[in-house]
Amino acid sequence: MRQIDHFIVGGSGGAASRLSDVFDPNNGGVQAQVALGDAAVLERAVAAAQKAQPGWAAMNPQRRARVMFEFKSLIEKNMDELAHMLSAEHGKVIADSKGDIQRGLEVVEFCCGLPHVLKGEYTHGAGPGIDVYSMRQPIGIGAGITPFNFPAMIPLWMGAVATSVGNAFILKPSERDPTVPVRLAELFLEAGMPEGIFQVVHGDKEMVDLILDHPAIGAVSFVGSSDIAQYVYSRGVAAGKRIQAMGGAKNHGIVMPDADLDQVVGDLCGAAFGSAGERCMALPVVVPVGEDTAERLKAKLIPAIEALKIGISTDPDAQYGPVVTAMHKANIERWIQTAVDEGSELVIDGRGYTLQGHEEGYFVGPTLLDHVTTDMTSYHNEIFGPVLQIVRAKDFEEALSLPSKHQYGNGVAIFTRNGHAAREFAARVNVGMVGINVPIPVPVAYHSFGGWKRSGFGDTDQYGMDGIAFWTKKKKITARWPDGSVDGGNAFIIPTMG
Ligand code: NAD
């Protein structure tokens, strides 16, 4: 059976003591095994990073940016291969895998402009003969711990920014779909990045803890579910590291009475069921405002959902594919049952779905639940599958309060033709990323990405200028070049610029 190894300088170094199965979501069963690393593996990666990082950081930023340019063109050349690799382990359809890679590539493009964003601040003559300036310096060694659902985009959110500013970066990708991250590491090397700057160590909780406790790793970026994000944040901060930890989500789509319902239905189907609902920016909750809006929306949603085409990830006509594992499929189906037990109306039931010729694949049919209420656990928790819940609101204020009071605060969308309502909503809603007639408002690479409440622990977002701030330390320099004519003043009192 194929074994997926770490990507560290000097190779994996022998047989792994522990292995984890990588499943085939389209057909069921195990397609490969990934090595789970231990302390010795991490030590070797850290040693290689320590050796390579000073030279990489000393290289002028334009030369590091050129590596990013080359990497970008290699990804473009290898797009088909990467997309097939990604789909085979994740289960998302090929076009969606290309989107996953493309959104990561856009962060690489941002990093091609690195010399400009790394420029510091400068004040000439802040005091007599005194200039003040700042520079951004790399942390040294950074690490990224990533989830299964975007195995290309999220490693690149972190790894492209971390390395382009001069750090060495150690990636611990999800053990569910580890092949694409290794391929990205190979392409970085091919693009001219020195050995030891972008490495991959595989593993589970044991490796995560080793990373969090390692004294040579100065910053850790995490993306995954909220309980683990909170754990990573607390343990990493306690170890004196800089940590950002993005968590789970339960994003709401508010539908105002004046919205264009045909457009909304198309947007909702894509955002709720695309990638089998396994996106942190999916829209699993729709909130129609007023009973009339709810009834009109439901009448249009039902036939649209019933017409969705599910298929294996290489089927060009499929709108979404299987979920990632049999365990996750069972979990989603359990949540559907919980929602029914809690009193919601099961309008379309996706449980027990099988695809002819792929009966063992991990498919879940699209599911629609109505009359979902805020006292239900199935409303409060993330299901992370192709399940859309309708929560009816009587007016704008109630609709605004639902995502605002929810434990998660990643994304939210409002669908309306009323500019005032949209403006008011965007300003008042207690959520980190807002879409106005945009169902999946993932900000472009030169802005930044991050949710609020239990969707994000720490102060900085991913990528954009926040990414630069996270992966660098800002040094402030106050310089005086006296010409002898300026009185230095009393050296025993705190200096002022007075
Ligand atoms: P997960 O939390 O199970 O795993 C994330 C990472 O943590 C993986 O690398 C995994 O190996 C590691 N891990 C697993 N168990 C651990 C433990 N007990 N201790 C320490 N580390 C552990 O998440 P997942 O199932 O891979 O991904 C889906 C989740 O990620 C969803 O909750 C989704 O909303 C979230 N997500 C959030 C964002 C965001 O930006 N907010 C983006 C994508 C996904």
Side-chain angles (χ1 to χ4, degrees):
M1 179 162 303
R2 182 168 66 97
Q3 186 171 318
I4 302 154
D5 245 326
H6 313 288
F7 189 92
I8 54 180
V9 176
S12 67
S17 54
R18 292 193 304 135
L19 294 167
S20 176
D21 290 338
V22 176
F23 298 96
D24 172 358
N26 289 305
N27 301 298
V30 177
Q31 60 166 310
Q33 289 189 309
V34 60
L36 298 179
D38 55 14
V41 167
L42 183 63
E43 283 310 331
R44 274 215 313 286
V46 168
Q50 280 172 322
K51 193 160 166 235
Q53 192 267 336
W56 174 244
M59 196 182 267
N60 78 51
Q62 199 162 359
R63 290 184 62 191
R64 288 200 304 269
R66 277 187 201 133
V67 173
M68 293 294 148
F69 266 112
E70 187 55 30
F71 179 69
K72 166 180 147 56
S73 90
L74 285 174
I75 295 223
E76 283 162 348
K77 269 189 213 140
N78 290 280
M79 179 62 93
D80 281 336
E81 178 214 3
L82 283 163
H84 277 82
M85 222 176 232
L86 198 160
S87 289
E89 290 181 356
H90 178 287
K92 62 176 82 172
V93 296
I94 298 288
D96 204 25
S97 288
K98 288 187 178 172
D100 183 333
I101 299 161
Q102 178 63 30
R103 286 310 291 252
L105 193 58
E106 289 168 12
V107 175
V108 177
E109 286 169 349
F110 170 76
C111 294
C112 292
L114 170 82
H116 175 69
V117 299
L118 271 189
K119 286 186 304 195
E121 299 157 324
Y122 183 84
T123 302
H124 181 82
I130 292 180
D131 306 325
V132 180
Y133 60 98
S134 68
M135 57 176 79
R136 289 207 166 272
Q137 296 187 319
I139 304 279
I141 305 178
I145 299 162
T146 53
F148 82 84
N149 68 326
F150 282 100
M153 177 182 83
I154 296 178
L156 291 176
W157 280 0
M158 304 170 179
V161 181
T163 55
S164 62
V165 300
N167 295 293
F169 179 76
I170 298 174
L171 173 68
K172 206 290 305 160
S174 169
E175 60 276 42
R176 307 262 165 272
D177 43 14
T179 298
V180 165
V182 171
R183 187 73 188 116
L184 294 177
E186 289 169 357
L187 293 176
F188 266 127
L189 208 59
E190 204 180 320
M193 190 175 270
E195 276 195 330
I197 296 301
F198 187 103
Q199 300 179 94
V200 181
V201 294
H202 299 293
D204 51 13
K205 180 177 179 352
E206 182 184 329
M207 181 56 86
V208 171
D209 288 348
L210 288 166
I211 289 171
L212 291 172
D213 297 343
H214 202 294
I217 297 175
V220 178
S221 180
F222 173 92
V223 177
S225 51
S226 290
D227 288 348
I228 299 175
Q230 188 166 14
Y231 165 78
V232 164
Y233 184 77
S234 314
R235 186 163 177 152
V237 166
K241 295 186 198 319
R242 188 179 282 191
I243 306 285
Q244 55 177 199
M246 277 64 194
K250 189 92 180 194
N251 307 320
H252 295 49
I254 313 301
V255 182
M256 296 296 286
D258 65 351
D260 174 344
L261 288 192
D262 291 320
Q263 184 214 318
V264 170
V265 166
D267 284 351
L268 273 178
C269 283
F273 303 111
S275 199
E278 294 171 318
R279 291 182 185 136
C280 66
M281 289 295 276
L283 271 188
V285 177
V286 59
V287 183
V289 174
E291 279 304 307
D292 176 60
T293 313
E295 289 307 324
R296 286 187 294 124
L297 179 69
K298 189 173 172 181
K300 284 180 183 279
L301 261 177
I302 293 171
I305 294 173
E306 283 172 343
L308 288 176
K309 173 136 173 39
I310 304 165
I312 55 166
S313 47
T314 48
D315 177 350
D317 297 326
Q319 284 157 313
Y320 76 86
V323 301
V324 68
T325 57
M327 200 169 47
H328 191 46
K329 173 180 157 96
N331 204 21
I332 294 165
E333 296 193 341
R334 257 196 310 276
W335 271 119
I336 297 170
Q337 186 57 45
T338 302
V340 172
D341 295 344
E342 290 176 326
S344 34
E345 179 200 347
L346 184 57
V347 185
I348 300 173
D349 186 357
R351 289 172 298 176
Y353 185 94
T354 49
L355 188 70
Q356 211 185 353
H358 301 272
E359 286 76 8
E360 302 304 316
Y362 314 138
F363 296 92
V364 181
T367 297
L368 181 66
L369 293 153
D370 194 4
H371 299 288
V372 174
T373 54
T374 56
D375 54 350
M376 297 179 182
T377 61
S378 55
Y379 167 71
H380 284 285
N381 289 283
E382 186 178 33
I383 299 175
F384 219 55
V387 179
L388 179 61
Q389 293 171 292
I390 302 177
V391 181
R392 297 171 177 230
K394 62 178 185 310
D395 54 24
F396 174 81
E397 289 298 328
E398 191 185 10
L400 173 70
S401 78
L402 288 166
S404 297
K405 288 184 181 159
H406 201 280
Q407 62 165 332
Y408 295 120
N410 215 35
V412 70
I414 183 166
F415 299 93
T416 182
R417 291 181 167 107
N418 180 333
H420 175 72
R423 184 170 181 271
E424 189 74 2
F425 182 83
R428 288 172 59 197
V429 72
N430 185 19
V431 170
M433 292 173 279
V434 182
I436 297 173
N437 297 314
V438 171
I440 305 181
V442 176
V444 292
Y446 40 95
H447 285 256
S448 59
F449 180 103
W452 292 359
K453 298 180 281 182
R454 286 186 57 73
S455 297
F457 301 88
D459 302 324
T460 48
D461 286 350
Q462 296 281 346
Y463 64 79
M465 291 312 290
D466 259 34
I468 300 289
F470 181 76
W471 293 109
T472 55
K473 296 175 288 191
K474 194 162 145 187
K475 185 173 280 178
K476 290 72 60 178
I477 297 118
T478 303
R480 181 168 60 153
W481 296 102
D483 64 2
S485 65
V486 178
D487 173 11
N490 183 346
F492 294 92
I493 59 168
I494 179 84
T496 67
M497 296 297 160

